[in-house]
Amino acid sequence: MTEATVERLRLFLIESPIKMARLQGVGNVKGTVKRVLIELTSSDGVVGWGEAAPWEVFTGTPEAAFAALDIYLRPIVLGKPVRRIRALMAELDRALVGHAEAKVAIEMALLDIVGKSSGLSVADLLGGRVRDTIPLSFSIADPDFAADLERMRRMVPDGNVIYKVKTGVKPHREDLDHLEAIRKEFGDTVDLRVDYNQALAPFGAIKILRDVEEFAPTFIEQPVPRKFLDVMAQLTAALETPVLADESCFDRRDMMEVVRREAADAVSIKLMKAGGLFEAQAIMAIADIAGLPGYGGTLWEGGIGLAAGTQLIAATPGISLGCEFYMPHHVLTEDVLEERVANRGGHVVVPDGPGLGIRVSETSVRANARVLAEA
């Protein structure tokens, strides 16, 4: 039997309008977000989709990811056996430094093909499900806090109880007022978290965070810049509230260092940081050994990338703190899927079809595409 190979690769640089501005601590977002979609077709006619969603202040630019895929990785991918994913990913790492988002897009497209060919979901390919739904976290990041509070009034009755407040962008007193307003209106019925996105300087951070602890957050995410890992360790030791590492942990080497220095109590697992679903599971395996739970973080992915994220979390026991996969339902004005990944009762429902379990709308892709490359 002839082994199927990658026969065609198409790329789309798309730009999608968003419903609200986002204040993130570093790199605010307004108007639109860009990302790269990849479509692979195997020699036996099976199509797989992947998504690269860099953020210029976090990992890189969509334009750079597009160029990496089109110029440097395309010649390596074409003609390769679709089932030999680990071997191909190792080859991509040898051929090109960085560009984790471009590489994970290829990996998820290959897994989509293999899953469709075998009738298995990506979660099955990753070891099988440990969960069918994932608690959804919505980020409070609108410059207009009153608008976010009104969203909460609509969402909480529907079962959406996890909210992560982006802090450190506005004055500290204003952050405290917002946390107080949330607790005053919703009390302990909501699971409140805070995320500084590296916004605090090391000097004085402990005093600010002790003020925040008064509102009983579940965790405090990345309070200081990633390079200050010793400060992260000091804060982790000093605070009652767990500290979660995001920008301080991109790969296995980072995870080992976080564990060695006891620089966090939990970790954000993002496919765009890790560069692969297999790599994300490897990072989480190290965290498991140290007893650090994982949280499903995102950058600005749409439905394809987030479908891959749900499949990863479904098959990875340690990612137990929920996910922030709210973009397609709550922020994007239009996604590229024929049917969005379901949200129900404050949870993301993991697609149960083969591969990623999604259907991509060619019409929507082309309507949002700014650049197209195919061969």
Side-chain angles (χ1 to χ4, degrees):
M1 182 177 177
T2 304
E3 190 171 12
T5 58
V6 178
E7 187 170 85
R8 186 173 76 159
L9 186 159
R10 292 201 301 167
L11 295 172
F12 305 86
L13 176 62
I14 68 172
E15 186 170 6
S16 302
I18 60 175
K19 300 175 185 177
M20 64 195 80
R22 314 300 285 158
L23 294 183
Q24 299 289 137
V26 290
N28 302 322
V29 178
K30 184 178 181 181
T32 62
V33 292
K34 295 178 182 178
R35 56 202 196 278
V36 181
L37 305 185
I38 178 172
E39 179 199 60
L40 298 182
T41 304
S42 67
S43 56
D44 55 2
V46 182
V47 173
W49 285 90
E51 180 173 351
W55 186 21
E56 59 271 19
V57 299
F58 199 102
T59 54
T61 67
E63 291 82 2
F66 188 96
L69 286 160
D70 192 31
I71 299 170
Y72 298 97
L73 301 183
R74 177 192 294 274
I76 301 171
V77 173
L78 290 174
K80 289 296 193 299
V82 297
R83 291 179 181 267
R84 303 191 183 187
I85 299 173
R86 286 188 184 272
L88 178 56
M89 296 305 291
E91 189 172 350
L92 299 183
D93 281 339
R94 290 192 297 270
L96 183 66
V97 173
H99 293 284
E101 309 91 348
K103 294 170 185 175
V104 75
I106 291 170
E107 187 195 62
M108 69 176 74
L110 290 171
L111 285 167
D112 195 25
I113 290 174
V114 173
K116 289 173 179 174
S117 299
S118 62
L120 299 172
S121 71
V122 169
D124 293 329
L125 299 176
L126 295 174
R129 293 186 182 210
V130 296
R131 55 179 66 89
D132 296 309
T133 63
I134 307 162
L136 176 64
S137 171
F138 181 78
S139 290
I140 303 300
D142 195 316
D144 181 359
F145 175 72
D148 264 336
L149 202 60
E150 186 57 37
R151 289 186 189 98
M152 290 183 69
R153 294 184 182 116
R154 295 193 301 269
M155 293 172 69
V156 170
D158 290 335
N160 294 273
V161 297
I162 304 176
Y163 296 90
K164 191 171 75 170
V165 182
K166 296 290 185 174
T167 46
V169 185
K170 298 176 179 179
H172 178 50
R173 181 65 257 171
E174 197 169 342
D175 283 340
L176 296 180
D177 289 343
H178 293 166
L179 294 171
E180 183 176 17
I182 292 171
R183 281 296 186 215
K184 182 177 181 180
E185 180 152 352
F186 300 102
D188 294 333
T189 63
V190 296
D191 178 337
L192 193 60
R193 301 148 183 217
V194 297
D195 181 7
Y196 278 90
N197 278 117
Q198 311 181 83
L200 297 181
F203 183 79
I206 187 65
K207 183 179 186 303
I208 290 171
L209 298 180
R210 282 187 172 141
D211 289 343
V212 167
E213 281 196 299
E214 295 299 316
F215 300 97
T218 298
F219 61 67
I220 297 170
E221 184 171 344
Q222 198 66 42
V224 297
R226 69 180 304 244
K227 64 182 178 180
F228 296 120
L229 206 57
D230 287 337
V231 177
M232 286 281 287
Q234 293 165 13
L235 295 172
T236 300
L239 295 169
E240 295 294 325
T241 303
V243 173
L244 182 138
D246 180 8
E247 289 90 341
S248 287
C249 186
F250 275 66
D251 54 25
R252 282 175 285 176
R253 185 181 296 276
D254 286 346
M255 189 74 252
M256 289 286 288
E257 196 64 12
V258 167
V259 170
R260 187 182 72 82
R261 298 200 200 184
E262 299 182 343
D265 302 292
V267 61
S268 176
I269 301 294
K270 293 180 177 176
L271 287 178
M272 297 303 139
K273 289 191 302 180
L277 285 82
F278 293 124
E279 179 66 18
Q281 283 195 316
I283 294 168
M284 199 59 230
I286 297 169
D288 286 339
I289 293 170
L292 276 62
Y295 171 68
T298 62
L299 293 183
W300 302 109
E301 297 98 314
I304 297 172
L306 296 186
T310 65
Q311 297 287 341
L312 168 71
I313 296 173
T316 311
I319 307 179
S320 58
L321 297 176
C323 69
E324 57 189 32
F325 297 172
Y326 63 89
M327 278 287 293
H329 279 271
H330 297 286
V331 178
L332 294 179
T333 61
E334 179 187 3
D335 197 15
V336 297
L337 302 187
E338 290 184 6
E339 185 177 342
R340 299 184 186 194
V341 175
N343 285 188
R344 188 177 305 128
H347 288 68
V348 178
V349 180
V350 182
D352 58 7
L356 294 174
I358 56 174
R359 295 188 305 275
V360 175
S361 166
E362 179 87 9
T363 301
S364 294
V365 170
R366 289 191 172 277
N368 287 277
R370 298 294 175 266
V371 183
L372 166 66
E374 52 188 319

